[in-house]
Amino acid sequence: MNSSDGPTFAPTPPDLPGADGGGVAAEPLGGADSRGGSDPHNPSGRTFLGQPGPLANLFSVELWERFSFYGMQGILAIYMYFAATDGGLGIDETVALGIVGAYGGSVYLFSILGALVSDRLLGPERTLFASAVMIMLGHLALALVPGIPGLMLGLLLVGVGSGGLKSTAATLVGALYSRDDPRRDAGFSIYYMGINIGGLLGPLITGVAQQSWGFHLGFGLAAVGMLIGLVQYTLTRRGLPASVHTVPDPLPRSQYPVWGGIALATVVLVLVLVLTGVLTANNLATVVAALAVLGAVVIFALLLTSKKLDADERSRVVSFIPLFIGTAAFFALFQQQFTVITLYSDTRLDRVLSLPFLGDWTMPISWVQSFNPFFIIVLAPVFAALWTKLGTRQPGTPRKFGVGIILMGSAFLLFLPMASVVSVPVLWIAMIMLVATIGELWLSPVGLSLATKLAPRSYPVMMMALYNLSVALGTSLSGALATFYSAENEVAYFGALGAVTISIGVVMLLVAKPVSRGMRGVR
C-alpha cells in the first residue's frame, strides 16, 4: 500500500501521523482513558486490543474499503483491455493503462475535495459514511451496468468516494486519543494493519472470482466487501467521539450559491472539454498530471508569498519542494503495479503453478498486486524496530527519501535480466516487488507525517494538499508513462525509468544536508 493509505504500519513516533502533531484533526487535550464511558475520546467505554473500542469499527471499515478498492483495481486494467469475447471492453491496452493511472491520480485530487467537504459542510464522520456509500455504489455500477457507461459511472463514484474516505478516516482514528495518550502510535499501527490486510485479500479474492466466473462477479465481490464494512460501521458509529460529528469550520449559508455555482461551472467545463474532444481517454492521465502540477505551483506560490509565514516557516515550505519532486518520482514507478506490471503479469509472466494434489493451476493476473501488502505486513515491524533502536541515529527524512527512490529505480532495473526470457517466473516479479516495498518502507511512512510537521501554522491543510498532489502527480504519471511500454521495448523502458529514478535518488542524497537545514529543526 502507499503512503496515501497512511504511513504503512510504522509506529515510530517521528514518522507516524498523530505523533508530534501529526496529520489528524486537533482534539481537546485531556487524558484518554479506557476505563469507562466518561472518556470523551471513548464514549462507549469498550476497548479493542487495549485501545478505544471504536478503533475496531474504523479498523474494519478501512479493511473492507481497501479490500474493495484494491480488489477492483486489481482487475480494472485487464477488464478494459480484454476482448469482449473474454468479458472485457476491448479498449486499446495503452489507453486502458493510461485511464488506470489517471483514475488513481484523480483519487488524490478528490481527497482535497473530500477534506473541504469534511471541514466546511458535513464533518468527518458524515463525510466518511457518505464516501463509503459512494464507493459501494461505484462497485455495483461496475458489476451491474454494462459497457463503457458502467465503467465511467463506477470509476467516478469510487474515485470521489475514495478521495473523501482518504481525507477523513485517519482524522477519526486520531480523534479517539488525546495528543499525549501513549497508546496513540500503537492504535495507528493496528489501524494501518487493517489497510494492508484488506489490500492483501482484495486482489486475491476478486482475482479468483474474475478468472473463474468473470469480471462482473469480481466487481460484485468488491461491492459486497464495502457493504459488509458499511453495515458494521452503521451499527457501531454512535460509539465515536462527539467531536467527529461536528463541522470544524462551517461554510456560511450565504456562500452556498457561490460554491454551488463554482461546482456546476466545473462540471459544465469538463463536459464541454469531453464533447469537443479536448479531453479524451488518450490524454486523461496527462491532464490529471498537469492539474496536479498546476495545483502545486499555485499552492507553493500562495505559501511563499504569504505575509502570515515567518522566516522559519517559509524555509520549511521551500525545503518541501525537493521532497515533493522525490515523492512524485517514487510513485510514478511504484503505482505502475496497477498499469505496466498488470500487463506484464498478463503477457510475460509464467503464472502456471504446479500444486500438490491439484496439478497445474494458473495464478490470477491480479495476485501480483498482493505481493506488496504481504511484504509490508512482514517487514514493517522490522523497520519499526530498527528505527526505534537507532533513535536519533537513524537517517534524516531527506536521506530516507533518497534511499527509497534509489531502491524503487533499482526494482525497475531488475526487469532487464528477464527481457529475453519468454515466460518470466513468478518468483522474479515477487523479488522485484520486494525491492519496491523496501523502498516504500524507507519513504512512505515519513512523507505524510512530514508534510504536517513542515506545515505553517496558518496553512496546515495546504501542506496536506501539496502532499496529496505529489502522489496524484506520480500516480497519473504511472499511467502516462505506461503508454510507452511494450514487450518489444522492455530494455529501453525499464532501463530508462530505472536509471532516471536512481539519478533523482542520488540527487536527493546530495542535497540532503541543505534540505535538512532548511527544515529548521524538523527531523
Side-chain angles (χ1 to χ4, degrees):
M1 304 296 96
N2 61 53
S3 61
S4 62
D5 302 321
T8 37
F9 191 62
T12 43
D15 296 345
L16 189 64
D20 301 329
V24 293
E27 321 86 18
L29 292 177
D33 170 337
S34 62
R35 292 171 297 180
S38 60
D39 176 12
H41 299 280
N42 186 24
S44 68
R46 298 178 295 106
T47 60
F48 170 65
L49 299 177
Q51 304 293 322
L55 181 64
N57 184 12
L58 299 174
F59 172 93
S60 176
V61 169
E62 190 63 13
L63 186 156
W64 285 111
E65 190 274 331
R66 292 292 89 182
F67 169 93
S68 66
F69 181 86
Y70 284 103
M72 177 273 286
Q73 192 148 309
I75 59 177
L76 177 60
I78 57 176
Y79 172 59
M80 285 191 280
Y81 73 71
F82 267 28
T85 53
D86 296 322
L89 299 178
I91 298 173
D92 179 78
E93 284 180 358
T94 58
V95 174
L97 299 185
I99 291 173
V100 173
Y103 157 73
S106 68
V107 168
Y108 300 100
L109 295 180
F110 286 134
S111 71
I112 299 172
L113 174 64
L116 291 172
V117 170
S118 173
D119 287 348
R120 306 302 308 271
L121 290 176
L122 298 179
E125 193 278 330
R126 282 183 290 176
T127 301
L128 182 141
F129 182 78
S131 298
V133 172
M134 290 183 70
I135 293 169
M136 183 187 68
L137 293 176
H139 291 310
L140 284 175
L142 286 166
L144 301 177
V145 180
I148 299 297
L151 176 71
M152 295 174 60
L153 179 61
L155 291 187
L156 180 62
L157 287 171
V158 175
V160 175
S162 295
L165 195 140
K166 281 179 181 296
S167 60
T168 53
T171 298
L172 267 64
V173 175
L176 303 180
Y177 305 91
S178 65
R179 288 196 182 277
D180 57 355
D181 191 328
R183 302 172 299 165
R184 185 173 184 135
D185 288 346
F188 268 97
S189 297
I190 294 171
Y191 169 71
Y192 290 125
M193 185 58 78
I195 290 174
N196 288 295
I197 292 172
L200 171 66
L201 296 178
L204 296 179
I205 294 176
T206 59
V208 169
Q210 174 269 318
Q211 182 167 284
S212 302
W213 299 287
F215 286 100
H216 293 289
L217 180 61
F219 293 133
L221 286 178
V224 169
M226 194 67 252
L227 176 63
I228 292 171
L230 263 173
V231 170
Q232 185 266 334
Y233 179 76
T234 302
L235 295 175
T236 56
R237 64 195 292 201
R238 292 186 179 180
L240 293 167
S243 61
V244 305
H245 297 280
T246 60
V247 181
D249 183 21
L251 182 71
R253 288 192 175 274
S254 60
Q255 295 186 22
Y256 279 20
V258 175
W259 287 100
I262 292 173
L264 180 61
T266 302
V267 172
V268 171
L269 175 61
V270 171
L271 288 175
V272 170
L273 292 176
V274 171
L275 293 174
T276 57
V278 175
L279 181 61
T280 67
N282 292 299
N283 65 13
L284 189 57
T286 304
V287 170
V288 174
L291 288 174
V293 171
L294 178 62
V297 169
V298 170
I299 294 175
F300 272 121
L302 171 66
L303 293 175
L304 294 174
T305 57
S306 173
K307 295 180 179 180
K308 295 181 179 180
L309 271 65
D310 59 31
D312 285 346
E313 290 177 325
R314 189 167 284 105
S315 177
R316 288 171 186 149
V317 172
V318 172
S319 73
F320 190 68
I321 294 175
L323 301 175
F324 177 96
I325 296 170
T327 300
F330 177 88
F331 283 107
L333 269 62
F334 183 80
Q335 296 290 64
Q336 290 194 37
Q337 62 181 302
F338 303 112
T339 56
V340 168
I341 294 178
T342 296
L343 179 58
Y344 190 92
S345 175
D346 176 25
T347 59
R348 298 279 286 108
L349 210 60
D350 180 7
R351 294 180 289 107
V352 178
L353 307 178
S354 296
L355 302 177
F357 309 111
L358 297 177
D360 291 344
W361 177 75
T362 302
M363 185 185 85
I365 296 168
S366 66
W367 277 30
V368 168
Q369 294 172 19
S370 288
F371 286 139
N372 172 242
F374 171 77
F375 289 137
I376 286 176
I377 291 170
V378 172
L379 294 177
V382 177
F383 272 77
L386 175 63
W387 301 142
T388 301
K389 184 175 181 178
L390 289 174
T392 57
R393 294 179 293 118
Q394 65 182 285
T397 296
R399 286 190 173 85
K400 286 183 178 178
F401 266 59
V403 173
I405 294 167
I406 289 171
L407 285 169
M408 188 65 246
S410 300
F412 261 45
L413 293 185
L414 288 175
F415 281 101
L416 300 183
M418 293 290 113
S420 60
V421 176
V422 176
S423 295
V424 179
V426 169
L427 288 179
W428 192 265
I429 200 76
M431 180 182 67
I432 291 172
M433 291 309 302
L434 173 61
V435 175
T437 301
I438 294 173
E440 179 190 5
L441 289 169
W442 273 85
L443 181 144
S444 179
V446 300
L448 189 62
S449 181
L450 179 69
T452 66
K453 294 177 185 178
L454 295 177
R457 288 184 296 272
S458 300
Y459 298 100
V461 176
M462 290 294 188
M463 287 298 285
M464 287 306 306
L466 277 174
Y467 179 80
N468 283 327
L469 285 171
S470 70
V471 181
L473 174 58
T475 304
S476 53
L477 284 176
S478 75
L481 291 171
T483 62
F484 297 102
Y485 168 79
S486 70
E488 291 74 27
N489 73 343
E490 278 185 8
V491 172
Y493 184 84
F494 292 124
L497 288 182
V500 169
T501 305
I502 289 173
S503 299
I504 294 173
V506 170
V507 171
M508 184 67 70
L509 292 178
L510 293 175
V511 302
K513 283 188 177 181
V515 170
S516 294
R517 285 196 298 269
M519 289 162 62
R520 299 291 176 93
V522 175
R523 182 173 174 78

